[in-house]
Amino acid sequence: MRSTPEAALVLAGGVAKGAFEAGALEVAHQKGWRFSRVVAASSGAINGAYWAAAMRAGREDEAARALPALWLSRADVRIFHLSLTGLIGERGLATGENIAALLEREVRSWLPGLRHRSGLRLVVTPLGGTEGDIGGVPATTYQRVLAFDDQAFDARETRAAVFRAAAASAAFPGAFVPVDLPGSGSCVDGGTVNNTPIKEAIEGGRIKRVVVVTPHPLLTAMPQARFSGLALIGRLADILINERLYRDLREAQSVNRTLRSLEALRTNGTLTEAELRKVKRAIGRTTARQVEIIQVRPPKELPGNPFSGFFSRKLREQYVQAGRAAAEEVL
């Protein structure tokens, strides 16, 4: 199966388990999948920024081979740029400077390249919140989606903003110091509010197919053990990461079912085309369209907690291979 330019890629977080996505992307590209938009949060933002830069330069072939190798060789304790001020101020152990520097180092020889179209959406969590609305009434939200397109990848100065945003989206609270972003203030891991921003992937109506890559299985084991220390933090990370995906997928399936039912009523003559438009307008689905959602997941929980892979190359190898196997199975 091959995609069209109307396909979007959603990359979830998983801290060190983000290596799963590298293996999945390698196989997806080999199978001919191409994407017009990448949407990501948490550790998925690191993969997403790298992949969007490759899209812009027309270097996906190279990126598909290089990304798994990067996770294996560089995603260890060296990724943590220890912060004395962060430790003293109790804001985090490390900064995201090494992450941003690594991304720049890996893509700067590509860009500016052939200048293909590229779209990237990254979710960050502003600690001070940002203004949204509920029913037209101003209200505070802690989700902010940052958009980067085309020229954002063409100069080092603009790429710096992209990669700093990726580092902010991956700044897991406690492990990383919050990242200051212009217009957003201090930001932390986007996965804490929306780990799999499917709505951002389909915004605009052009996208007909979404490939969601997440290192979390559809059905998670129900452990009875008591969690404490790093294991407790890791379990909370798993919960934050997976819950929003569960809700978004259920909502997407509900919308698809509603649209299929309405289309059936039009097809069998119960509703005219004009009546169908009125019904869609009444239920707030005027521009909605059915979207195929394909999930690339491991069949069972990956070994270790979300941080274990930073201390074990063997675990990272297992994650990459699990991503390859899952993509082979689904795509």
Side-chain angles (χ1 to χ4, degrees):
M1 183 194 306
R2 289 179 178 267
S3 70
T4 70
E6 297 164 326
L9 173 67
V10 174
L11 298 172
V15 196
K17 293 180 181 179
F20 173 92
E21 297 173 352
L25 281 170
E26 179 183 18
V27 170
H29 184 74
Q30 291 170 353
K31 289 181 173 291
W33 284 83
R34 302 296 182 267
F35 304 99
S36 60
R37 178 179 297 169
V38 179
V39 185
S42 196
S43 60
I46 300 170
N47 293 324
Y50 182 80
W51 199 260
M55 287 166 51
R56 177 60 171 167
R59 303 291 285 269
E60 293 103 312
D61 286 347
E62 184 175 338
R65 295 189 300 269
L67 189 55
L70 279 173
W71 273 96
L72 295 179
S73 64
R74 301 303 301 272
D76 54 21
V77 292
R78 290 174 296 175
I79 205 68
F80 294 94
H81 186 271
L82 292 181
S83 170
L84 182 60
T85 57
L87 287 168
I88 294 174
E90 298 181 347
R91 303 186 76 222
L93 299 175
T95 72
E97 292 178 13
N98 283 0
I99 295 173
L102 174 63
L103 288 169
E104 173 59 28
R105 189 160 55 247
E106 293 300 318
V107 309
R108 64 187 173 197
S109 63
W110 300 348
L111 299 160
L114 297 177
R115 301 192 180 187
H116 294 281
R117 297 296 301 273
S118 181
L120 175 67
R121 304 291 183 269
L122 299 176
V123 180
V124 298
T125 303
L127 292 176
T130 188
E131 186 173 314
D133 73 86
I134 299 174
V137 178
T140 298
T141 176
Y142 292 91
Q143 173 180 300
R144 182 155 193 172
V145 180
L146 304 176
F148 302 98
D149 296 297
D150 297 341
Q151 291 86 357
F153 300 94
D154 292 345
R156 182 166 185 166
E157 294 76 15
T158 50
R159 286 198 303 274
V162 178
F163 297 151
R164 188 170 178 82
S169 185
F172 190 85
F176 289 95
V177 174
V179 178
D180 290 331
L181 297 178
S184 299
S186 292
C187 296
V188 296
D189 196 325
T192 60
V193 290
N194 192 352
N195 190 58
T196 48
I198 295 173
K199 289 182 179 179
E200 297 299 326
I202 63 178
E203 184 182 38
R206 294 186 303 106
I207 299 299
K208 296 180 179 178
R209 182 178 294 160
V210 177
V211 175
V212 179
V213 185
T214 173
H216 299 275
L218 196 59
L219 186 62
T220 301
M222 306 294 183
Q224 300 301 313
R226 292 173 62 88
F227 292 97
S228 60
L230 193 60
L232 175 59
I233 295 173
R235 194 62 184 177
L236 290 174
D238 283 339
I239 292 169
L240 288 171
I241 286 165
N242 198 54
E243 182 61 21
R244 182 63 182 262
L245 172 59
Y246 172 84
R247 294 169 184 266
D248 279 1
L249 287 173
R250 281 179 61 91
E251 181 179 351
Q253 290 173 346
S254 175
V255 171
N256 279 342
R257 283 195 301 270
T258 298
L259 294 177
R260 283 195 297 268
S261 297
L262 290 174
E263 184 59 30
L265 291 174
R266 186 195 65 80
T267 301
N268 66 25
T270 303
L271 292 177
T272 65
E273 188 67 42
E275 290 170 336
L276 176 62
R277 287 195 296 270
K278 289 180 180 179
V279 171
K280 283 186 173 182
R281 186 162 54 248
I283 64 175
R285 302 294 184 190
T286 304
T287 60
R289 62 193 305 173
Q290 292 187 56
V291 177
E292 181 185 7
I293 298 178
I294 301 168
Q295 301 177 58
V296 179
R297 296 173 176 262
K300 60 182 181 180
E301 283 195 85
L302 297 175
N305 65 53
F307 303 94
S308 300
F310 290 130
F311 306 95
S312 170
R313 180 185 172 102
K314 183 178 180 180
L315 274 179
R316 297 198 301 276
E317 289 173 348
Q318 291 181 47
Y319 300 159
V320 170
Q321 187 54 42
R324 289 170 176 150
E328 285 282 0
E329 178 71 21
V330 175
L331 302 178

